[in-house]
Amino acid sequence: MAATGKTSSSIWETVKTVFWALVIAGLFRTLFFQPFWIPSGSMKDTLLIGDFLFVNKMAYGYSYASCPSIRVGGLNIDAQKICAFIDGDNTRIFGSEPERGDIIVFRQPTDGTDFIKRVVGLPGDRIQMKEGVLHINEAAVGLEPAGDFVEEFTRQGPLGIRPRCENGVVGEGADCLKSRQIETLPNGRSHSILNIGDQRSDNTGVFTVPAGHYFFMGDNRDNSTDSRFPQAVGGVGFVPFENLIGRANRVVFSSAGRSMLAFWTWRSDRFFKRLE
């Protein structure tokens, strides 16, 4: 009997340890930093498929979007239900507004999917694309040529996505090129953007950003589903302030392979790389 009691006590202690470890991990993820793995190429060449980073959730304060959604097997509990007590009125606790040029993880307003893009439009701004050039409040942003971005034409990341190339159809393993420019926003923030070719999203009407909302775009301009596309067709549209999750400041780890365990595909030059 003594041995059985001791075993039961040991099991109970293990259960309690695991429970509190999960609680602490959940609080840390909710209040401070959220891990994020880059699954697509919409932010190239700032972010590459396989980059791993932590999102600073303290940057803009807290809203329902700060809470993690729980999706395990058939269990699907959305963050909006978990943190319903701070949902509503498009507000945040300890809120701080983003700056133009910040790279932000946010919840897509319609289906709650996490996206990562760059904020280019603030409340009240008028945003328009003309011949592939971003215009903010009727003024074109600064652009400087910066050579070509070159990557191998092959399947990338766990999803096996092949890149799109400005130099047309190329064979497996060939160089896939995109012309690169340095874009400078009105507040002086600069970053690189890529071009693949002429398409409808290079010329748009004027988007007037509503109060309490933001306009996002990907740096890989011709391969990004962003605020240029309405939510009704799977786009992002205008993103409410309360949907911001946090700011991305630095890549922590990066792997060019299908699995992070394939150490020969690690990009050591991107470890702890600061994002611009």
Side-chain angles (χ1 to χ4, degrees), residues 61-105:
Y62 303 96
S63 71
Y64 85 91
S66 303
C67 292
S69 296
I70 300 175
R71 296 185 175 95
V72 181
L75 185 64
N76 188 353
I77 304 176
D78 191 80
Q80 204 159 14
K81 294 182 179 179
I82 297 174
C83 286
F85 65 96
I86 52 174
D87 183 23
D89 298 325
N90 196 23
T91 58
R92 307 181 71 88
I93 299 173
F94 308 119
S96 177
E97 295 184 0
E99 296 182 10
R100 200 189 312 273
D102 285 357
I103 301 172
I104 298 175
V105 173

Side-chain angles (χ1 to χ4, degrees), residues 1-43:
M1 290 295 295
T4 302
K6 185 175 182 180
T7 301
S8 299
S9 176
S10 177
I11 294 173
W12 176 239
E13 287 300 320
T14 300
V15 170
K16 288 196 297 182
T17 300
V18 171
F19 170 78
W20 286 114
L22 291 174
V23 169
I24 292 170
L27 287 173
F28 184 85
R29 188 180 187 276
T30 299
L31 297 176
F32 302 112
F33 297 97
Q34 175 176 322
F36 194 82
W37 189 276
I38 304 300
S40 71
S42 68
M43 282 294 292

Side-chain angles (χ1 to χ4, degrees), residues 91-232:
T91 58
R92 307 181 71 88
I93 299 173
F94 308 119
S96 177
E97 295 184 0
E99 296 182 10
R100 200 189 312 273
D102 285 357
I103 301 172
I104 298 175
V105 173
F106 59 90
R107 286 173 59 88
Q108 201 269 9
T110 302
D111 62 18
T113 303
D114 289 349
F115 275 69
I116 184 166
K117 308 286 182 186
R118 189 182 299 275
V119 60
V120 298
L122 305 179
D125 280 345
R126 297 176 300 281
I127 306 295
Q128 186 175 20
M129 293 294 292
K130 296 181 181 180
E131 297 182 352
V133 179
L134 173 63
H135 288 66
I136 301 176
N137 299 323
E138 288 77 48
V141 298
L143 289 175
E144 296 180 13
D148 289 327
F149 172 67
V150 184
E151 60 184 334
E152 182 182 355
F153 184 76
T154 189
R155 295 187 180 278
Q156 299 178 352
L159 301 180
I161 300 172
R162 294 184 185 275
R164 293 176 57 202
C165 312
E166 188 178 12
N167 54 325
V169 179
V170 299
E172 184 73 20
D175 285 347
C176 175
L177 307 180
K178 299 176 182 64
S179 55
R180 175 168 46 198
Q181 295 173 299
I182 301 299
E183 180 179 84
T184 301
L185 299 174
N187 60 350
R189 297 272 293 272
S190 296
H191 55 272
S192 65
I193 60 171
L194 302 181
N195 178 70
I196 299 173
D198 296 330
Q199 54 189 50
R200 292 179 61 185
S201 56
D202 287 335
N203 292 279
T204 71
V206 177
F207 301 94
T208 301
V209 185
H213 291 70
Y214 297 87
F215 194 97
F216 287 86
M217 293 182 70
D219 291 349
N220 191 1
R221 290 288 161 80
D222 295 335
N223 195 43
S224 174
T225 301
D226 48 40
S227 292
R228 291 172 291 178
F229 303 92
Q231 298 165 16

Side-chain angles (χ1 to χ4, degrees), residues 42-77:
S42 68
M43 282 294 292
K44 289 178 181 177
D45 63 337
T46 304
L47 291 169
L48 304 181
I49 294 175
D51 281 350
F52 179 80
L53 47 87
F54 285 97
V55 177
N56 180 1
K57 302 183 83 168
M58 299 175 284
Y60 310 120
Y62 303 96
S63 71
Y64 85 91
S66 303
C67 292
S69 296
I70 300 175
R71 296 185 175 95
V72 181
L75 185 64
N76 188 353
I77 304 176

